[in-house]
Amino acid sequence: MDAAINLQIPDWLVETAGSGDLSLSSDEERMSFVIGLARDNIRRGTGGPFAAAVFECGGSRPVACGVNMVVSANCAVAHAEIVAIMLACAGLGVYDLSQGPAPGGYELFSSTDPCAMCLGAVPWSGVKRLVCGADGADAEAAGFDEGAKPIDWEAQLIRRGIRVCRHVCRTEAAAVLDEYAADGGIIYNGRQSAASAE
Amino acid sequence: MDAAINLQIPDWLVETAGSGDLSLSSDEERMSFVIGLARDNIRRGTGGPFAAAVFECGGSRPVACGVNMVVSANCAVAHAEIVAIMLACAGLGVYDLSQGPAPGGYELFSSTDPCAMCLGAVPWSGVKRLVCGADGADAEAAGFDEGAKPIDWEAQLIRRGIRVCRHVCRTEAAAVLDEYAADGGIIYNGRQSAASAE
């Protein structure tokens, strides 16, 4: 067994995340930036059509960005949100982002509603707010499996004090999923998905 | 933002996982081994009272082991199951363990019922079977938060073709949770947990 877990982040993502030129001034601008990462991820061949980013609440530049690297990194759990949360925790030196230095806390932007795993990670991350682009149904229409989420998942987050804002730039976000599917991108776990639909 | 995600696995765990002396011949022996990892993790001060391991189905030695390293590694998502799945994928070079070399597939042992996040990771991992020790209620009794799982989560896994076997060595597993809580171990995310219980 390896003595460490090591996942290399694509160079272009590290550069983009660290760009000093970013000045994202609204939820729509932040989401459009994240959707752009998902689009770049498929066009550059570094992973699947999903991206996420952690911002200080209302911040103009990301604290950390993640893209789906399941296939490219051979890692079942390397979804965009998990990658972004791991990088944000590492960068800030905290296991709970509510303990980070930003007075207003942190928020997670996801280009698509989180799957069951990433949804479960949201409360553990300590973010105060979740902002989503495409609907989970858009991902499923493209062939992806969202997993078994509680029917009232949005209300469950709100009960934990996490604000939720969905369908921001939904059309733009769903178009990336459709582009990936139309180009014949790997829809992993399609086998399990098919079995569950029987 | 860092150019890589890097999580160091405790030396003792790497050594234990790689021991050639292991000959675990039943679910109870495999679970007792995993519970021992959870116990060692708290006694050695390397993390929380949770452990997990991936085996070939019925295998006598683990393919990969994980322990909870949330606090020790400053990583919100470094739960035992996530760590074990990441190491198993890396070791076998697959993102879906159902594509690994073992003809009978792989199974995940978890010292406690998985939390909402780890539960969501189970189908993505490609394991054929999930075996659990302590009940989620035992973890909550010790102060931990399991997150919002679908009420019928066990049936949902079975629908996906994943067999589930729970409460294996439950008393032994729950005792580790109690030992941790009694010793005043950090119950992280207790704040959110308290908020959700209001």
Side-chain angles (χ1 to χ4, degrees), chain A residues 1-9 13-14 17 63-65 70-71 74-77 79 82-83 85-87 89-91 93-96 98-99 115-117 120-121 123-126 145-150 156 159-160 186 188-189 191-192 195-196, chain B residues 1-9 13-14 17 63-65 70-71 74-77 79 82-83 85-87 89-91 93-96 98-99 115-117 120-121 123-126 145-150 156 159-160 186 188-189 191-192 195-196:
Chain A
M1 187 175 92
D2 292 343
I5 289 167
N6 194 286
L7 292 182
Q8 291 296 315
I9 308 302
L13 182 60
V14 176
V63 172
C65 299
V70 170
V71 175
N74 267 334
C75 180
V77 302
H79 287 204
I82 298 290
V83 171
I85 291 168
M86 293 180 96
L87 288 167
C89 286
V94 294
Y95 61 85
D96 174 350
S98 75
Q99 304 303 308
C115 79
M117 172 182 70
W124 306 161
S125 74
D145 186 351
E146 287 277 281
K149 300 189 248 192
Q156 291 271 7
R159 274 186 57 207
R160 288 169 180 268
I186 297 171
Y188 51 85
N189 286 300
R191 183 183 49 74
Q192 289 97 318
S196 71
Chain B
M1 188 175 91
D2 292 344
I5 289 167
N6 194 286
L7 292 182
Q8 291 297 314
I9 308 302
L13 183 60
V14 177
V63 171
C65 298
V70 170
V71 175
N74 267 334
C75 181
V77 302
H79 286 204
I82 298 291
V83 172
I85 291 168
M86 292 180 97
L87 288 167
C89 285
V94 294
Y95 61 84
D96 174 351
S98 74
Q99 304 303 308
C115 79
M117 171 183 70
W124 306 162
S125 74
D145 186 352
E146 286 278 281
K149 300 188 248 191
Q156 291 271 7
R159 273 185 59 207
R160 288 168 181 270
I186 298 172
Y188 51 85
N189 286 299
R191 184 184 49 72
Q192 289 97 319
S196 70

Side-chain angles (χ1 to χ4, degrees), chain B residues 91-159:
Chain B
L92 297 172
V94 294
Y95 61 84
D96 174 351
L97 296 175
S98 74
Q99 304 303 308
Y106 296 85
E107 58 190 1
L108 177 66
F109 276 64
S110 181
S111 64
T112 297
D113 283 346
C115 79
M117 171 183 70
C118 296
L119 176 63
V122 169
W124 306 162
S125 74
V127 296
K128 305 274 192 217
R129 186 166 178 257
L130 172 66
V131 184
C132 309
D135 194 281
D138 300 329
E140 293 187 336
F144 286 96
D145 186 352
E146 286 278 281
K149 300 188 248 191
I151 294 167
D152 61 340
W153 65 267
E154 195 171 336
Q156 291 271 7
L157 289 180
I158 293 167
R159 273 185 59 207

Side-chain angles (χ1 to χ4, degrees), chain B residues 23-95:
Chain B
S23 180
L24 308 167
S25 61
S26 66
D27 277 351
E28 288 71 20
E29 288 187 20
R30 284 182 278 276
M31 181 56 77
S32 192
F33 167 77
V34 171
I35 294 167
L37 299 179
R39 194 184 300 116
D40 282 352
N41 198 39
I42 59 175
R43 293 188 182 171
R44 291 171 182 269
T46 48
F50 302 98
V54 172
F55 293 88
E56 292 190 14
C57 286
S60 60
R61 281 185 279 180
V63 171
C65 298
V67 290
N68 183 296
M69 309 195 304
V70 170
V71 175
S72 52
N74 267 334
C75 181
V77 302
H79 286 204
E81 296 92 331
I82 298 291
V83 172
I85 291 168
M86 292 180 97
L87 288 167
C89 285
L92 297 172
V94 294
Y95 61 84

Side-chain angles (χ1 to χ4, degrees), chain A residues 167-182:
Chain A
H167 301 155
V168 175
C169 308
R170 177 179 178 177
T171 304
E172 182 186 352
V176 178
L177 303 173
D178 292 341
E179 175 181 333
Y180 184 77

